[in-house]
Amino acid sequence: QVQLVESGGGLVQAGGSLKLSCVVSGSVFSMNHMAWYRQAPGKERELVARIFSSHTAEYGDSVKGRFTITRTNAKKTVFLQMNSLEPEDTGVYYCNMWRGTVVDYWGQGTQVTVSS
């Protein structure tokens, strides 16, 4: 059974930092791509950042220069370092593992709240 478990969310003041982690179990990790999405209340889920099996990373426009996505294949873990947080970053952050149409798994999400 494939599981993605996120951690690291919480309440932080604007300008602060948080680091999210997502640990994968029950699946091969290194050949799959990983991503972080977020969903704010009343809004659609949006892509925050993704990192391919090649370790190439891409970011949503709103987080470029503030967030960094990394992965450690040996620990089957993907990270999201979030700096200079803004109230607009508030939402539930979800970890996603995908590869074409063959692999598509999601975590349960972790809440991030940024106070002004």
Side-chain angles (χ1 to χ4, degrees), residues 83-95:
N83 298 328
S84 302
L85 283 161
E86 304 168 353
E88 293 74 22
D89 296 316
T90 293
V92 179
Y93 283 68
Y94 296 92
C95 179

Side-chain angles (χ1 to χ4, degrees), residues 3 17 19 26 28-29 32 48 50 68 71 74 82 84 96 101 103-105:
Q3 286 190 315
S17 298
K19 186 173 184 177
V28 174
F29 180 81
N32 294 323
V48 175
R50 60 185 180 182
T68 303
R71 61 188 294 163
M82 306 186 293
S84 302
N96 171 238
T101 59
V103 175
D104 188 16
Y105 295 99

Side-chain angles (χ1 to χ4, degrees), residues 13-91:
Q13 289 187 333
S17 298
L18 283 174
K19 186 173 184 177
L20 306 183
S21 301
C22 171
V23 180
V24 176
S25 61
S27 173
V28 174
F29 180 81
S30 61
M31 68 176 62
N32 294 323
H33 315 307
M34 301 298 299
W36 287 97
Y37 286 78
R38 69 186 179 192
Q39 187 165 20
K43 295 188 177 181
E44 293 186 355
R45 191 173 296 189
E46 65 170 344
L47 176 66
V48 175
R50 60 185 180 182
I51 185 166
F52 296 92
S53 57
S54 63
H55 289 244
T56 299
E58 296 180 346
Y59 298 90
D61 289 341
S62 63
V63 306
K64 283 180 181 177
R66 301 188 297 123
F67 290 12
T68 303
I69 186 171
T70 56
R71 61 188 294 163
T72 303
N73 288 345
K75 296 185 176 182
K76 295 188 176 183
T77 303
V78 61
F79 302 96
L80 184 68
Q81 177 67 48
M82 306 186 293
N83 298 328
S84 302
L85 283 161
E86 304 168 353
E88 293 74 22
D89 296 316
T90 293

